[in-house]
Amino acid sequence: MRQRTRIWGLTAGAALLAGAGIALMLPRHGGAAAEPGRDRRGVELTIYANDFAMAREVRPTSLSAGANRLRLLDVSRQLDPQSVSLRWMGEGTLPELVAQAYDLGVSGSEPLLHRYLGRQVEVVRYGDSGHEAERQKGALVVAGDGGSVLETNGQYVFNPTGEIVAPANGEIVTIPQLSVQATSAAARSADLEVAYLTRGLSWSADYVATLDPAGGAMRLDCWATVTNRTGVDYPAARVTLVAGSPNRAVVAADERSRHQVAGEAFAGNGRAAAYADAKTAGQPAAISMPGGSVQNVGDFHAYPIKNATTVAQEQMNRLLMLSSPAVLIKKDYSVRLPQLSAWDVELWDSRPEHSPARSLAGVSLSLTNDGRSGLGTPLPQGAIRFYEPAEGGSLRYVGAAQLENTPTDEHVSLTLGQAFDVYAETRVMRRQKVDRHTVRKTVQVILHNEKPAPVSVRLVQAVAGRFKISAEPLKHASLDAQTLQWTVPVASHAETTFTVTID
């Protein structure tokens, strides 16, 4: 019969925990290390986008005169031990820091049992009544999946029957912690500032935009999603989010702790998007920054979050970064026509007249990131999801776009999708050989607008090779050397014919 597979944590003979593997016995008169407790003050997190952060906090400690060993619990499982910074707070004669160490702790009973190899343990056997019947002491020399071996009285006992009981005297570390050696001239209390870099913390921005049904404006809220996979909570933390990725040399202390979270919980400020009436054109409301203005950090931008929040482990916490009740926008409809060339290689080029190529108009919104438009602050990259009130006021999802890192005063164009009621029918009406090197093509585009309001549609035409325009109803704009553009107005519930001839 093999030993029982239960854990008993005992302090002064009283049971504390139940698990599997060994029983730990705490000595009656305390351990070898001073315990500063789990009091954590002034927690600050500076979080970067790509699984990288800096944590800073203050730990109140109590020191005795002479040498001290302080155990700092509740630290990240993925911290970089080489990045740890320790500093005593206050003035006058402060304790002296001698050394520091980081211990990952253990993740189960088997690794914990391995830490007792070569140490004295006891095997406790119980009778049928459940009371202790026998206790055997010895050194643990083998511990693993194949069983345990105890050395006692000059003999090896293989797989001893009973429970292995070992002392929990503070020398065996079971949970991740920093161990700090310090000397103090006298017994005193002192605050120790602890800072370190860690993986396991990251953030991303996403936006919720609610369009004004009358057009011309939208409400825009930017939310930051902070993900914590460090294995520790950060209570009442002051959070600063940095847009940008500085070079770093961070090595996680425990690569084993990296794992994906299934079914992440969402916590924090989870309010629904609501539309605030837009201000009149030319008088946008000022943007709201809950944490204050954006700060420049080198070549990056930092976004402080005003209110302290608990960043719990294995959670995705959503924090409001900025909000503007009325951002001035312009809706744009565009149709990209099939490429035109001198060769009859395009399928649409050879279609019969009754079978034109049909193209739906793309819908996009354009805005300028400045104060006049209701913004005027650097915008971090992220997805924007657009909603628009339907009849009766219920919100309906109308599309999404990706916003790149956008400095102040930059113009932005965001494509939402394809319009249902605006489309174009395109056909080549005539193909003529002008000379040995030139072909003249006449292209007809019929624009349809079934919406209750007039629209302007941008026609974008790519042309292969050298070309010139022989006839056009509207003056074109050149987007580049091979791309032309016309802006064509189309009345409500109407169609407009546009014809261009290109050599």
Side-chain angles (χ1 to χ4, degrees), residues 362-436:
V363 183
S364 62
L365 300 176
S366 60
L367 58 92
T368 302
N369 184 17
D370 59 17
R372 295 185 300 273
S373 298
L375 290 173
T377 190
L379 302 176
Q381 67 179 10
I384 303 182
R385 294 169 178 83
F386 294 89
Y387 299 85
E388 185 170 345
E391 295 182 8
S394 298
L395 288 181
R396 297 290 185 267
Y397 174 72
V398 295
Q402 182 69 26
L403 178 72
E404 299 302 325
N405 287 325
T406 305
T408 304
D409 297 327
E410 184 170 331
H411 183 75
V412 178
S413 181
L414 304 168
T415 300
L416 274 67
Q418 293 182 319
F420 187 90
D421 295 326
V422 181
Y423 61 93
E425 294 178 315
T426 309
R427 60 170 64 87
V428 176
M429 299 297 295
R430 186 183 305 109
R431 183 183 186 279
Q432 178 184 356
K433 186 79 170 180
V434 177
D435 54 43
R436 191 172 69 176

Side-chain angles (χ1 to χ4, degrees), residues 310-391:
T310 295
V311 181
Q313 58 184 306
E314 316 306 345
Q315 283 190 349
M316 299 173 69
N317 302 268
R318 286 174 59 80
L319 310 173
L320 183 63
M321 291 181 62
L322 58 88
S323 178
S324 179
V327 178
L328 301 183
I329 59 173
K330 180 180 178 181
K331 184 173 285 189
D332 177 77
Y333 295 92
S334 63
V335 173
R336 182 168 289 276
L337 304 175
Q339 187 184 51
L340 195 65
S341 70
W343 303 275
D344 293 325
V345 296
E346 307 92 345
L347 293 177
W348 73 283
D349 197 358
S350 58
R351 288 173 181 264
E353 185 176 343
H354 64 273
S355 179
R358 177 167 172 163
S359 304
L360 295 176
V363 183
S364 62
L365 300 176
S366 60
L367 58 92
T368 302
N369 184 17
D370 59 17
R372 295 185 300 273
S373 298
L375 290 173
T377 190
L379 302 176
Q381 67 179 10
I384 303 182
R385 294 169 178 83
F386 294 89
Y387 299 85
E388 185 170 345
E391 295 182 8

Side-chain angles (χ1 to χ4, degrees), residues 167-198:
N169 56 11
E171 297 179 4
I172 302 297
V173 175
T174 58
I175 60 177
Q177 60 186 260
L178 281 168
S179 177
V180 178
Q181 295 182 34
T183 59
S184 177
R188 60 171 297 175
S189 297
D191 291 338
L192 180 62
E193 181 191 63
V194 183
Y196 57 83
L197 303 179
T198 181

